[in-house]
């Protein structure tokens, strides 16, 4: 069986080392690439149909107050794997968005049956930790 790294990552303005910087590749995508080199797993980038703003302040407003989290939104994905049957391990990567995962990751998780799968997760953050994301994944 194969392994998959499903991740959401955002380039553009990001909070890095205490300041907003413009990134060509998002932090979570960098980590996903390292895991891919170590494991040989296939990469799959979760991309919302309606992308978040590249502007950091606008993005955090979209992710929390204006839309996603307060509405418990499930943003549509541009594409999804047809099935996860062929994968034994599915690494799940995401940045911490307001103490949990971006809602697009919830969309992905709710689409599939993970029974019998191994699904380690990894979370990028600037010191805020995992928040409630571990419990949210279990649910």
């Amino acid at each position: 069986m194969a392994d998959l790294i499903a991740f959401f990552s955002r380039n553009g303005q990001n909070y890095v080392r205490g300041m907003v910087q413009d990134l060509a590749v998002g932090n979570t995508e960098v980590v996903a690439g390292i895991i891919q080199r170590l494991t040989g797993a296939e990469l799959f980038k979760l991309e919302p149909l309606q992308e978040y703003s590249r502007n950091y302040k606008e993005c955090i407003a979209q992710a929390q107050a204006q839309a996603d989290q307060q509405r418990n939104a499930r943003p549509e994905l541009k594409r999804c794997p047809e099935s996860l049957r062929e994968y034994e391990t599915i690494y799940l990567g995401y940045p911490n968005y307001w103490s949990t995962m971006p809602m697009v990751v919830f969309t992905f998780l709710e689409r599939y049956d993970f029974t019998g799968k191994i699904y380690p997760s990894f979370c990028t953050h600037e010191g805020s930790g995992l928040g409630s994301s571990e419990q949210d994944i279990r649910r």
Side-chain angles (χ1 to χ4, degrees):
M1 291 188 95
D3 296 336
L4 179 71
I5 304 165
F7 68 96
F8 171 75
S9 189
R10 201 182 135 277
N11 59 0
Q13 291 183 344
N14 278 271
Y15 195 70
V16 180
R17 293 185 210 102
M19 48 199 271
V20 175
Q21 296 182 22
D22 196 34
L23 302 179
V25 177
N27 296 320
T28 310
E29 188 167 357
V30 170
V31 175
I34 292 168
I35 293 170
Q36 198 240 359
R37 284 191 297 281
L38 293 171
T39 65
E42 181 181 333
L43 287 172
F44 182 80
K45 187 172 184 177
L46 302 171
E47 298 177 274
L49 193 57
Q50 183 176 336
E51 294 184 15
Y52 289 106
S53 173
R54 292 180 54 83
N55 177 283
Y56 179 74
K57 288 184 179 184
E58 288 175 16
C59 175
I60 61 172
Q62 288 172 317
Q64 198 251 359
Q66 291 179 357
D68 282 5
Q69 216 175 53
Q70 288 187 355
R71 293 186 302 113
N72 202 27
R74 296 299 185 264
E76 190 175 340
L77 295 168
K78 284 185 182 178
R79 61 187 179 89
C80 285
E82 187 175 312
S83 168
L84 298 181
R85 279 188 293 260
E86 66 187 272
Y87 302 108
E88 178 178 27
T89 302
I90 301 162
Y91 298 88
L92 182 66
Y94 53 89
N96 180 320
Y97 271 32
W98 293 103
S99 297
T100 189
M101 303 171 289
M103 302 314 279
V104 71
V105 179
F106 284 88
T107 301
F108 175 76
L109 287 173
E110 292 172 2
R111 181 178 218 111
Y112 301 100
D113 179 4
F114 287 83
T115 303
K117 304 289 184 191
I118 300 167
Y119 47 95
S121 62
F122 58 99
C123 174
T124 56
H125 57 84
E126 280 296 310
S128 56
L130 300 174
S132 65
S133 64
E134 290 178 298
Q135 296 88 343
D136 294 337
I137 290 170
R138 279 190 213 103
R139 274 188 288 145

